[in-house]
Amino acid sequence: NAGVTQTPKFRVLKTGQSMTLLCAQDMNHEYMYWYRQDPGMGLRLIHYSVGEGTTAKGEVPDGYNVSRLKKQNFLLGLESAAPSQTSVYFCASSYVSWRTGELFFGEGSRLTVL
Amino acid sequence: AQKVTQAQTEISVVEKEDVTLDCVYETRDTTYYLFWYKQPPSGELVFLIRRNSFDEQNEISGRYSWNFQKSTSSFNFTITASQVVDSAVYFCALRGNRGAQKLVFGQGTRLTINP
């Protein structure tokens, strides 16, 4: 099993450009998440999805959009990239279970906005 | 609101020393879950442990142990006889019993084990 796969792994953008990060999971998980990791700030939730066709805002949603057209995929879009969006982005997924709840993470995508 | 605080930004010890990583949390939920994740230099996040709020029994797994104390809202992580391979950033995280199983992470503690 591949688990959670993120593409691309690295990307450099100029201010104002747009891009999409793709997250794919093969574990049939209902829930999917996008986090960003910045030095000294841990991981902060951008958007999440509780199932196909649904999305919701997390802690830091501004400047990002997401879509969950298929259960296995969760896309994160930047319409007009800003230097403040330079970060490492992590996608994660989880089972719907109150007994477990641990997140399974992708390897991360490093984005630099110049 | 839920919050996780890892006051130790960086810790550096010599191999074979014991080291404890502190984690303090805040939540109004009566049922909640606490987690520790490890992020080695390669960058991926590795799940280490999950603890339910209604189970305060401490847990030991090899050289790793976790001390959960509801009275002080702490969930500390101890590595005994540390090894160089333990060098990583460690994150403590909290999930309440409402919402879509969203994890709230602490700022992380960078642990360096020197040979």
Side-chain angles (χ1 to χ4, degrees):
Chain A
N1 279 346
V4 179
T5 303
Q6 296 179 224
T7 53
K9 298 288 191 297
F10 302 92
R11 185 74 186 269
V12 178
L13 291 177
K14 294 181 179 178
T15 298
Q17 287 185 319
S18 63
M19 75 157 295
T20 300
L21 294 176
L22 170 63
C23 177
Q25 53 96 4
D26 61 2
M27 296 174 282
N28 201 36
H29 286 170
E30 287 295 331
Y31 292 172
M32 296 187 74
Y33 314 81
W34 275 107
Y35 284 87
R36 60 177 289 174
Q37 181 181 12
D38 302 292
M41 304 189 76
L43 281 82
R44 293 180 294 169
L45 183 64
I46 305 171
H47 285 281
Y48 64 98
S49 168
V50 300
E52 181 178 320
T54 74
T55 63
K57 293 180 179 180
E59 181 184 355
V60 288
D62 294 341
Y64 305 95
N65 56 76
V66 288
S67 64
R68 182 99 182 267
L69 299 179
K70 294 182 179 180
K71 184 178 182 179
Q72 64 269 32
N73 295 337
F74 194 30
L75 278 65
L76 177 71
L78 285 72
E79 291 186 350
S80 181
S84 61
Q85 293 178 304
T86 293
S87 187
V88 180
Y89 293 85
F90 285 95
C91 176
S93 67
S94 69
Y95 292 109
V96 180
S97 171
W98 296 115
R99 293 183 181 179
T100 57
E102 65 263 32
L103 272 57
F104 296 80
F105 283 87
E107 295 180 343
S109 297
R110 184 175 295 275
L111 174 65
T112 301
V113 183
L114 303 176
Chain B
Q2 298 177 335
K3 184 179 179 181
V4 176
T5 301
Q6 294 178 254
Q8 304 151 309
T9 305
E10 295 189 28
I11 299 176
S12 180
V13 300
V14 177
E15 196 172 21
K16 298 184 182 178
E17 287 186 11
D18 299 346
V19 58
T20 296
L21 309 181
D22 297 333
C23 174
V24 174
Y25 62 92
E26 297 175 26
T27 180
R28 293 183 178 180
D29 290 345
T30 54
T31 301
Y32 51 89
Y33 302 81
L34 295 161
F35 301 78
W36 276 95
Y37 280 83
K38 175 182 180 180
Q39 186 179 41
S42 54
E44 77 276 19
L45 285 142
V46 178
F47 167 76
L48 294 178
I49 190 172
R50 174 189 62 254
R51 174 59 65 204
N52 305 323
S53 58
F54 44 86
D55 179 6
E56 290 192 64
Q57 187 174 9
N58 292 327
E59 184 160 337
I60 298 175
S61 176
R63 296 183 297 106
Y64 295 173
S65 63
W66 291 268
N67 182 2
F68 176 34
Q69 292 193 343
K70 267 180 122 171
S71 60
T72 56
S73 298
S74 64
F75 185 43
N76 297 337
F77 173 30
T78 297
I79 301 175
T80 303
S82 60
Q83 301 177 0
V84 174
V85 293
D86 295 327
S87 296
V89 179
Y90 291 87
F91 291 98
C92 180
L94 166 70
R95 173 170 74 78
N97 65 347
R98 293 171 288 180
Q101 301 186 198
K102 295 174 287 183
L103 287 188
V104 174
F105 285 83
Q107 304 93 318
T109 297
R110 180 177 299 278
L111 176 63
T112 302
I113 310 297
N114 299 298

